[in-house]
Amino acid sequence: MSNTSTVLRPYDEAEIEDLRQLERAAHRRYLSLKEYEKFAATPAINPERFRTGTTRVAEFDGRRAGYIIVQPLDDMLYIASLMVDDGMSGKGIGQRLLEWAEDYASATGVLGTCLATFRVPRWNAPWYRKLGYTEMPMGRIGLNLQAILDRHATFLDMKTRIAMWKPNGVSLERLQ
């Protein structure tokens, strides 16, 4: 999908609280899903994560519409957070942010992108699958990603979670 109305730019330190507010609003989508309602009230990402990762903000028709935070992790680029304003869903903003991350991963020479997400909501794992992501084989999960998953296990039911990846132009069979 070509999305010429979306412009990506680096974040500005002064907008961190606005980006965190965008995340809190995006979390309200979970209210519509039985057994996921509690995630609507989860705290927004720690402000320090914007500083320790590489962040891009999406603007759609001049309005702040989403963001992505990525960081090097093991031999991949980890998508620490990808958020789209709930009112902007379906406009290709998330896909544009994800494409940026994939291009960035390729440019930096890592194997590809990876993330941890919920298995069920259509805007989580099913959406990533549509864009070419697959479940990451256990043997490919590095120590740092495993540490993130272990931390998630302290407050999430890991049967609801999945680690996913998308290698950069390399066949999955060769990497597994």
Side-chain angles (χ1 to χ4, degrees), residues 31-91:
L31 288 171
S32 67
L33 296 172
K34 189 162 181 63
E35 300 180 25
Y36 284 84
E37 304 97 334
K38 63 184 173 197
F39 300 110
T42 57
I45 195 166
N46 184 314
E48 191 59 28
R49 300 289 295 278
F50 291 94
R51 297 177 190 106
T52 59
T54 300
T55 303
R56 285 296 175 272
V57 173
E59 292 183 347
F60 185 83
D61 290 339
R63 178 179 161 208
R64 186 183 307 114
Y67 71 86
I68 190 169
I69 302 172
V70 298
Q71 63 191 60
L73 191 73
D74 304 319
D75 55 358
M76 306 285 284
L77 189 66
Y78 178 67
I79 299 167
S81 185
L82 190 159
M83 292 290 155
V84 174
D85 182 292
D86 193 30
M88 304 295 269
S89 181
K91 299 183 183 307

Side-chain angles (χ1 to χ4, degrees), residues 108-121:
T108 58
V110 297
L111 288 178
T113 51
C114 66
L115 58 107
T117 191
F118 287 111
R119 291 179 181 274
V120 175

Side-chain angles (χ1 to χ4, degrees), residues 100-155:
W100 171 83
E102 293 164 5
D103 291 345
Y104 185 61
S106 183
T108 58
V110 297
L111 288 178
T113 51
C114 66
L115 58 107
T117 191
F118 287 111
R119 291 179 181 274
V120 175
R122 64 180 169 72
W123 58 87
N124 285 167
W127 180 75
Y128 286 105
R129 274 193 192 89
K130 283 190 338 188
L131 298 174
Y133 284 73
T134 60
E135 184 165 0
M136 189 173 230
M138 289 301 295
R140 289 295 308 161
I141 295 176
L143 293 175
N144 294 307
L145 180 55
Q146 187 60 57
I148 290 170
L149 297 173
D150 291 345
R151 185 175 53 82
H152 288 185
T154 65
F155 58 93

